[in-house]
C-alpha cells in the first residue's frame, strides 16, 4: 500500500471517529427545523412539529470554536407553522437559519427530566436540577418530569393537625395546619426572608424544600449560610433561580421545587415548602406571555398569569388520608405595601390564609413585624380547641382596642376608669408587645407558646 493510500485511510478514520463522537453526544433527533427570527426573548422556528412545552436544542457556533454546539430551549407557543422558542439561558453564537432539533425519539415527547429523591437532601441546585454547591453530580439519581396529574380534591386528607413552625405569634394566633397553604405578604426589606429562615429551622416537618425564585443572587447565599443555617440545610433541598436567570428558568425553578416537594409527600413525609417569591413567578410568566404576543390586562399582567398561579399553588396540600403532606408558605411582594396589588389580591383568594408584615412595625424595631389585625389563618378553627380559639380572640380584642385608641393615649387624652376593657388593654400592652416579638435565634414551640399566652391573659375574664 502506498504512502498516499495510508494517508487517505488515516484521514478517513479520523473523520469517521469525529462523526461517531458527535452522533453519540447529540440528542435523538426526530426532524430538524430552522430559526427564522430572533426578537427579544423569543426565537421563531419553522419546519418542526413538536408539542407545546417540549424541549429542543438549537445549533449554535461557540465563540472561538469551529465545531457546532447546542443550546437548550422550550416551546412556549406557536402561530400557524411557526414555533415560539425560549432559550433556558442567554445564547451567543446564534446565526440566521440555525438548525433546531427536538429532543425525543418518537415515543418520548421531549419532556425534560429532573433529579428527584433523597440524594437532593442538603443540596443546592438550579432550576435545571444541576448542583450549585460544588457537590457530586446528580446524573445517577432517579429522574422524573415536572408534570404531575392534579389530585382529586375529594381524595385529599382534611387539614386537622397543627404543625409547629417555631414562631410564637403564628403558633398561637395564626395556627397553621398540616397541609395548609399560607401567603406571606410584605414589601421589600421588612424581614420576610428572616421569618422564612426561622420557620425552616424550627418547623416540625420532616423535609424542607426552599424555592428561591427571582431574588437577588447575593440573597441566595445569605439565605443558605446565615438564615437557613447548618441545622436547617441538612434536611432541606434548595432550588435557586435568581433574578439574572431567564424567565423560563424562574418558572421552571418554581415548578421543580414543587415537584420535589410532591415526591417527598408521595413517600409519606411531612414537607414544608417555602417559595420566595410567588410574585417573581408571576412576573416571569408575564415576561414570557408578553414576548409571544399575549395582550396585557390588569396592571400589565396577561390573563395566563392568573391561570398559572392556582395551577402551581393547588399542587401543594395534603395527600391521601394516611399519606404525606405539603405545608406551603408563598411570599407575595406588595408594591409600595399595597395589599390590593393584582397578584396579592389573586393569591389571597387561592391561599388558605395570609400573614401580613407591616413596614411600620419593622421600622420601629418590632420583629417579626407581623400585623396581627390584618393576618388570618382560615384553617385555625379546625385544628385548635375552643379554649385556644377563645384565648386568641381575647388577645386580638385587647390588641385592637389599644390600637384604636393609640393616638388618644399618646397625647395624654386617655384617662383610666371609663372603659374597663381599654384599661386592661393599656395595662397589658407592654406584655402584648413582648409576646409578639421574637429573636432570630429563639425558638417557641406550640406548648411553650400556648403557655405564654395563657399566662399573659390569666386575669382576663
Amino acid at each position: 500500500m502506498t504512502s498516499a493510500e495510508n494517508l487517505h485511510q488515516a484521514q478517513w478514520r479520523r473523520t469517521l471517529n469525529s462523526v461517531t463522537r458527535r452522533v453519540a453526544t447529540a440528542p435523538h433527533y426526530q426532524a430538524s427545523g430552522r430559526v427564522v427570527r430572533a426578537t427579544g426573548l423569543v426565537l421563531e422556528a419553522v419546519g418542526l412539529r413538536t408539542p407545546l412545552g417540549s424541549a429542543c436544542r438549537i445549533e449554535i457556533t461557540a465563540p472561538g470554536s469551529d465545531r457546532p454546539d447546542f443550546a437548550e430551549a422550550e416551546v412556549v407557543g406557536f402561530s400557524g407553522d411557526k414555533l415560539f422558542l425560549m432559550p433556558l439561558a442567554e445564547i451567543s453564537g446564534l446565526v440566521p437559519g440555525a438548525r433546531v432539533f427536538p429532543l425525543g425519539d418518537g415515543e418520548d415527547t421531549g419532556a425534560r427530566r429532573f433529579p428527584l429523591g433523597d440524594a437532593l437532601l442538603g443540596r443546592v441546585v438550579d432550576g435545571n436540577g444541576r448542583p450549585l454547591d460544588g457537590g457530586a453530580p446528580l446524573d445517577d439519581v432517579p429522574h422524573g418530569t415536572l408534570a404531575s396529574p392534579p389530585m382529586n380534591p375529594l381524595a385529599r386528607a382534611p387539614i386537622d393537625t397543627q404543625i409547629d413552625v417555631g414562631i410564637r405569634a403564628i403558633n398561637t394566633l395564626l395556627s397553621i395546619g398540616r397541609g395548609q397553604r399560607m401567603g406571606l405578604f410584605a414589601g421589600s426589606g421588612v424581614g420576610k426572608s428572616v421569618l422564612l429562615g426561622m420557620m425552616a429551622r424550627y418547623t416540625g416537618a420532616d423535609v424542607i424544600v426552599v424555592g428561591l425564585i427571582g431574588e437577588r443572587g447575593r440573597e441566595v447565599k445569605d439565605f443558605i449560610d446565615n438564615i437557613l443555617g447548618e441545622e436547617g440545610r441538612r434536611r432541606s433541598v434548595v432550588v435557586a433561580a435568581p433574578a439574572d436567570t431567564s424567565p423560563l428558568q424562574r418558572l421552571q425553578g418554581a415548578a421543580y421545587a414543587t415537584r420535589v416537594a410532591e415526591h417527598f409527600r408521595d413517600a409519606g413525609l411531612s414537607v414544608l415548602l417555602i417559595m420566595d417569591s410567588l410574585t417573581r413567578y408571576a412576573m416571569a410568566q408575564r415576561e414570557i406571555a408578553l414576548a409571544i404576543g399575549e395582550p396585557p390586562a390588569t396592571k400589565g399582567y396577561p390573563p395566563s398569569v392568573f391561570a398559572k398561579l392556582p395551577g402551581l399553588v393547588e399542587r401543594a396540600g395534603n395527600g391521601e388520608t394516611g399519606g404525606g403532606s405539603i405545608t406551603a408558605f408563598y411570599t407575595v411582594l406588595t408594591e409600595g405595601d399595597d395589599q390590593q396589588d393584582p397578584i396579592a389580591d389573586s393569591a389571597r383568594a387561592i391561599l388558605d390564609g395570609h400573614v401580613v408584615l407591616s413596614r411600620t412595625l419593622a421600622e420601629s424595631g418590632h420583629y417579626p413585624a407581623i400585623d396581627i389585625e390584618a393576618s388570618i389563618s382560615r384553617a385555625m378553627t379546625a385544628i385548635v380547641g375552643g379554649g385556644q380559639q377563645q384565648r386568641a380572640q381575647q388577645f386580638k380584642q385587647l390588641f385592637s382596642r389599644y390600637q384604636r385608641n393609640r393616638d388618644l393615649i399618646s397625647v395624654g387624652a386617655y384617662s383610666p376608669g371609663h372603659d374597663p376593657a381599654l384599661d386592661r388593654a393599656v395595662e397589658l400592652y407592654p406584655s402584648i408587645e413582648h409576646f409578639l416579638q421574637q429573636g432570630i435565634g429563639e425558638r417557641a414551640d406550640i406548648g411553650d407558646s400556648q403557655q405564654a399566652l395563657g399566662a399573659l391573659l390569666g386575669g382576663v375574664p
Side-chain angles (χ1 to χ4, degrees), residues 168-180:
R168 185 163 47 243
I170 296 179
N171 278 341
T172 54
L173 308 174
L174 304 166
S175 301
I176 307 298
R178 185 182 178 204
Q180 191 170 346

Side-chain angles (χ1 to χ4, degrees), residues 105-160:
D105 56 5
E107 297 178 359
D108 186 2
T109 62
R112 303 176 68 237
R113 304 181 71 83
F114 299 79
L116 299 171
D118 294 344
L120 289 173
L121 291 174
R123 302 300 302 272
V124 182
V125 297
D126 65 8
N128 294 313
R130 293 191 291 257
L132 293 174
D133 51 12
L138 297 170
D139 300 332
D140 297 331
V141 305
H143 282 54
T145 63
L146 295 184
S148 61
M151 284 192 65
N152 183 343
L154 297 182
R156 288 185 185 270
I159 301 173
D160 55 10

Side-chain angles (χ1 to χ4, degrees), residues 314-336:
E314 284 294 328
R315 293 171 63 178
N318 280 333
E320 297 182 357
T321 303
S325 66
I326 301 175
T327 306
F329 280 86
Y330 299 92
T331 66
V332 181
L333 300 177
T334 51
E335 297 182 6

Side-chain angles (χ1 to χ4, degrees), residues 76-87:
V76 294
F78 59 84
S79 176
D81 292 334
K82 291 183 179 179
L83 290 181
F84 299 140
L85 309 178
M86 181 162 288

Side-chain angles (χ1 to χ4, degrees), residues 254-404:
Y256 180 38
T258 305
R259 183 68 186 90
V260 172
E262 287 177 321
H263 175 84
F264 287 112
R265 178 187 64 188
D266 294 343
L269 300 177
S270 172
V271 183
L272 176 68
L273 172 63
I274 294 175
M275 190 77 70
D276 187 13
S277 70
L278 195 64
T279 305
R280 305 295 188 200
Y281 173 84
M283 288 179 174
Q285 174 60 23
R286 176 174 65 180
E287 289 181 49
I288 295 174
L290 293 178
I292 63 177
E294 188 176 345
T298 309
K299 277 196 175 181
Y301 286 99
S304 64
V305 172
F306 303 100
K308 279 271 189 181
L309 289 176
L312 179 73
V313 170
E314 284 294 328
R315 293 171 63 178
N318 280 333
E320 297 182 357
T321 303
S325 66
I326 301 175
T327 306
F329 280 86
Y330 299 92
T331 66
V332 181
L333 300 177
T334 51
E335 297 182 6
D337 299 319
D338 178 17
Q339 298 299 322
Q340 302 308 315
D341 176 82
I343 298 302
D345 200 42
S346 177
R348 193 181 294 109
I350 60 178
L351 294 170
D352 302 322
H354 48 272
V355 177
V356 178
L357 299 188
S358 165
R359 185 172 299 278
T360 302
L361 289 175
E363 290 173 348
S364 67
H366 184 291
Y367 291 102
I370 299 174
D371 186 342
I372 293 299
E373 293 181 294
S375 305
I376 189 172
S377 171
R378 295 177 180 173
M380 183 172 177
T381 55
I383 60 177
V384 299
Q388 173 64 18
Q389 292 183 38
Q390 184 180 11
R391 287 190 291 272
Q393 184 179 8
Q394 290 173 344
F395 183 98
K396 290 183 178 181
Q397 288 172 347
L398 288 171
F399 183 82
S400 180
R401 181 66 64 94
Y402 183 91
Q403 293 298 328
R404 288 201 303 269

